[in-house]
Amino acid sequence: MKESLRQRFGKALRDLGRKNQDIYVLTADLSGSTCASFFGDEFPERFLNVGIAEQNMVGIAAGMASCGKYPYVHTFGVFAIQRAFDQICSSVAYSNLPVRIVCTHTGLSTGLDGATHQSISDIAAMRAVPNMTIISPADALEAELALKALERHPGPVYFRLTREERERILPEDYSFELGRAVQLADGDDAAVLATGIMVPRALAASRLLKEHGFNVRVINFSSLKPFDTDMVLQAARETKLLVTAEDHSIYGGLGAAVAETVTEAGLATPIVRLGVPDVFGESATGDELLDKYGLGVEDLVQSVLRKIAD
Amino acid sequence: MSNSKVLALEKVARSLRKRVLEMTTDSQSGHPSSCFSCAEIVSALYFSEMSLRPEEPDWPDRDRFVLSKGHAAPILYAALIEKGILPEEEALTLRKLDSRLQGHPVLGKTPGVDMTTGSLGQGISAAVGMALVAKIEKKDFFTYVLLGDGELGEGQVWEAAMAAGHYRLDNLIAIVDRNFYQSDGNTEDIMSLEPLRAKWEAFNWDVTEIDGNDVAQCQAALSLARRRRNRRPKLIIAYTKKGYGCSIMDDDVKWHGKVLSKEQAQGVIAELEEGTR
């Protein structure tokens, strides 16, 4: 079954808004695409469409947060993280204000609009901002659970959602905990450490590898900051190979975080990083792009087979 | 306003300048001339117009002040010291290791600072956010934002100006410290702002022009802006002189981002204490 992360998040935010009067929702002329309209339709007085002005939107949110509010700004990854980066750093994160940056279109999987709309450096950028929390849910359920878990989180949060409907992979009794990675498949031959929409692909790859006789662990890193280094090191000690997978540049994202963690611990477990190579994307469907740029299920399978076969 | 009140506000302005000089001369770093141009504005705001509780700096219903030209931080700290919100003993920690008095203001670090600023153009957006909360939640507090004129080159200022007009924020009062100088020279040579009044009026603001180094005019314009609840944000173009009140720096751009030597500062402090300016 597939379900849209952005829709489920948008509806859950509307539901939170029924109880929490301090929630405000802002968008920069993308209320439909980002599903901010679910909240806006029910609470027009706490909903602001500021026009196409993302820097101002983030600044307004900072001012609201300074008055005790929880503003959720909605746009695409590129327009928040790239265009309003300084506003996020100076007006929001420096003072640890509880602004929520909700980006519903991130990574190559944003698809047809092309590279101007595909944020592939956002995780790297946000990881380097002090006080920032980064959440990259694996499916629609986790998007809702993370939203609820962080409702009163005192600092800024970046929610990295995705445009297209994605497979529902997590069980209904799944629980989200900030800073905790969750093992979704067992195995000691190798481990795939994945985030966001690469998690379902990692699970599919693990199933295929079982047919080849390999047991491959899959770990969901939805909490990219804070980061579960214990889970990384456990996988590095218990398996022979770590493969990271993210719909993001290979620089500065999950793969980098894993490599930093393993290297600093003095472990020598081989690491293969799957991510967008150092190139801009292009127009095509999200799935076509993930396959073209080395993020397909088959890429995951082959990256394990090549290394383990050695 | 009574003559005695004018004299009192002038005295505060002199005192603010003196504190700014003491701080920036001791740290040998900062922008004293950018502080001097707005001393009367800050005096009128903190000692006549703004509703604050010094014993409760984060009182939720206080008026807000956003120093969008964050490099004038020392004069904000001086006002907070004069108000009794910051302890006087901290003044000379400005820009030093482990100080609460950062080179530019930081919300959450320094009591009485309502918004983090320093990257120009951002403060006014935050002020719009504060004014929106007050309007939507029917609270009575006002939001004041002080902009530099060079700062108006930032596109974000105009995004915020458009939003304030659109949302009819008559609880938002912006002041432009129009000293005609930015870091590299005259604003009109670098990237002309004029016609400045017409720009703001075109964004649906009510605009008043005053002599920003005349404290009575500052107080009168601020007070009038607060009383006019006509669903339009208010802008005060305060014509000032960079470095005003100090014979050495007066109206001279070469002092932007520069501090006086200890000897120079002593002379100016003596001038200010005599109240000759």
Side-chain angles (χ1 to χ4, degrees):
Chain A
M1 182 187 83
K2 286 192 169 186
E3 186 178 1
S4 161
L5 278 73
R6 55 177 164 149
Q7 282 193 20
R8 181 133 180 195
F9 189 97
K11 288 176 183 169
L13 182 55
R14 174 200 61 199
D15 295 347
L16 277 190
R18 289 174 182 157
K19 283 172 290 181
N20 185 344
Q21 300 298 314
D22 288 329
I23 292 178
Y24 279 72
V25 168
L26 296 88
T27 182
D29 200 35
L30 288 170
S31 58
S33 304
T34 61
C35 297
S37 54
F38 289 117
F39 185 98
D41 289 345
E42 189 161 327
F43 305 107
E45 70 287 357
R46 283 186 280 142
F47 176 77
L48 295 164
N49 186 343
V50 302
I52 305 168
E54 293 81 7
Q55 300 170 32
N56 188 42
M57 172 167 71
V58 171
I60 288 174
M64 292 180 145
S66 79
C67 296
K69 306 301 155 193
Y70 293 92
Y72 288 72
V73 301
H74 288 69
T75 184
F76 296 0
V78 284
F79 307 136
I81 309 303
Q82 292 173 201
R83 192 177 195 108
F85 183 69
D86 188 22
Q87 287 73 17
I88 291 171
C89 291
S90 299
S91 290
V92 174
Y94 188 9
S95 290
N96 203 29
L97 291 171
V99 172
R100 281 70 170 110
I101 302 152
V102 184
C103 296
T104 52
H105 295 53
T106 61
L108 286 185
S109 62
T110 299
L112 301 163
D113 283 330
T116 54
H117 286 52
Q118 297 161 353
S119 63
I120 55 171
S121 54
D122 52 308
I123 297 173
M126 290 295 100
R127 276 185 72 216
V129 175
N131 295 333
M132 186 58 67
T133 290
I134 309 173
I135 303 301
S136 165
D139 73 359
L141 172 65
E142 189 166 41
E144 174 174 339
L145 295 176
L147 165 68
K148 288 178 174 167
L150 295 170
E151 180 184 354
R152 302 278 179 180
H153 183 74
V157 181
Y158 170 38
F159 289 102
R160 188 181 206 253
L161 307 180
T162 51
R163 174 175 178 268
E164 288 175 38
E165 291 191 344
R166 292 288 159 187
E167 205 179 324
R168 267 292 314 281
I169 50 162
L170 300 172
E172 284 298 333
D173 62 353
Y174 183 85
S175 73
F176 170 88
E177 191 184 318
L178 181 62
R180 192 188 58 141
V182 176
Q183 189 168 316
L184 300 178
D186 299 333
D188 290 337
D189 291 321
V192 179
L193 291 64
T195 191
I197 62 163
M198 291 308 294
V199 176
R201 287 176 175 234
L203 287 170
S206 177
R207 286 191 292 271
L208 287 171
L209 284 160
K210 190 152 269 177
E211 292 169 17
H212 287 89
F214 296 108
N215 292 314
V216 174
R217 182 180 301 190
V218 175
I219 307 170
N220 170 25
F221 282 84
S222 52
S223 179
L224 290 170
K225 190 182 182 186
F227 189 60
D228 192 345
T229 54
D230 289 345
M231 191 65 117
V232 173
L233 294 176
Q234 190 184 342
R237 290 193 177 98
E238 293 176 358
T239 73
K240 302 177 198 73
L241 170 70
L242 302 183
V243 178
T244 64
E246 59 198 309
D247 182 7
H248 179 272
S249 168
I250 56 161
Y251 296 134
L254 172 64
V258 168
E260 291 158 10
T261 304
V262 172
T263 309
E264 283 197 331
L267 301 177
T269 317
I271 300 170
V272 175
R273 290 176 300 150
L274 295 190
V276 184
D278 191 20
V279 294
F280 284 102
E282 61 183 292
S283 285
T285 67
D287 285 332
E288 285 172 331
L289 291 172
L290 292 177
D291 289 342
K292 172 171 177 177
Y293 289 91
L295 291 165
V297 174
E298 194 54 30
D299 296 301
L300 280 163
V301 169
Q302 289 304 324
S303 63
V304 173
L305 287 180
R306 270 198 303 272
K307 279 279 182 182
I308 290 193
D310 288 348
Chain B
M1 188 169 57
S2 71
N3 196 42
S4 63
K5 193 171 173 191
V6 172
L7 290 174
L9 292 178
E10 284 177 347
K11 189 178 168 201
V12 169
R14 281 197 302 276
S15 181
L16 296 176
R17 287 193 173 94
K18 184 170 160 243
R19 289 188 186 281
V20 165
L21 265 194
E22 288 167 350
M23 284 188 262
T24 57
T25 305
D26 189 71
S27 65
Q28 281 295 295
S29 170
H31 301 73
S33 69
S34 307
C35 295
F36 273 40
S37 63
C38 60
E40 282 74 20
I41 297 163
V42 173
S43 172
L45 279 170
Y46 274 86
F47 292 87
S48 172
E49 293 306 299
M50 286 173 66
S51 173
L52 300 170
R53 287 181 182 168
E55 70 288 357
E56 190 187 354
D58 53 359
W59 173 41
D61 293 325
R62 72 190 181 281
D63 288 337
R64 266 60 171 186
F65 175 66
V66 179
L67 183 65
S68 204
K69 50 173 281 184
H71 52 286
I75 200 153
L76 172 57
Y77 301 148
L80 295 174
I81 288 170
E82 291 279 328
K83 275 301 231 190
I85 294 172
L86 280 180
E88 186 164 19
E89 310 82 75
E90 273 185 60
L92 298 188
T93 67
L94 175 74
R95 291 185 172 230
K96 291 176 184 164
L97 195 62
D98 297 327
S99 173
R100 294 197 293 181
L101 307 189
Q102 293 294 294
H104 295 78
V106 187
L107 165 63
K109 194 174 192 78
T110 316
V113 170
D114 288 327
M115 182 46 59
T116 302
T117 53
S119 181
L120 293 173
Q122 297 193 23
I124 183 171
S125 292
V128 168
M130 296 170 187
L132 274 166
V133 167
K135 183 182 158 165
I136 293 166
E137 304 199 351
K138 297 184 170 49
K139 293 182 185 296
D140 292 331
F141 71 80
F142 270 67
T143 302
Y144 297 90
V145 53
L146 178 60
L147 296 138
D149 51 359
E151 179 181 7
L152 304 183
E154 292 284 3
Q156 186 180 352
V157 170
W158 303 100
E159 294 182 3
M162 200 186 304
H166 178 82
Y167 293 123
R168 303 183 172 280
L169 298 179
D170 58 8
N171 57 356
L172 175 67
I173 299 172
I175 307 107
V176 172
D177 182 358
R178 185 74 171 114
N179 59 35
F180 282 89
Y181 286 120
Q182 56 193 98
S183 188
D184 274 352
N186 187 291
T187 59
E188 301 314 285
D189 295 336
I190 291 167
M191 187 52 63
S192 52
L193 294 167
E194 297 297 337
L196 188 57
R197 178 184 188 120
K199 282 189 175 69
W200 287 90
E201 284 176 339
F203 281 71
N204 295 314
W205 288 59
D206 276 2
V207 181
T208 316
E209 295 175 80
I210 61 165
D211 175 350
N213 291 129
D214 179 328
V215 80
Q217 287 193 35
C218 291
Q219 190 277 336
L222 288 166
S223 172
L224 183 67
R226 193 168 176 128
R227 287 197 306 274
R228 281 200 78 194
R229 301 305 299 263
N230 61 349
R231 291 162 58 78
R232 287 166 70 88
K234 307 297 182 300
L235 180 82
I236 298 168
I237 300 177
Y239 292 96
T240 60
K241 284 187 174 162
K242 203 172 178 75
Y244 182 84
C246 161
S247 51
I248 300 174
M249 297 191 293
D250 200 312
D251 205 26
D252 187 344
V253 72
K254 75 167 191 275
W255 286 99
H256 181 90
K258 287 209 180 66
V259 294
L260 273 61
S261 71
K262 294 207 164 125
E263 295 71 34
Q264 287 170 323
Q266 274 165 10
V268 174
I269 286 168
E271 274 179 50
L272 292 166
E273 281 173 347
E274 285 165 23
T276 51
R277 302 277 310 186

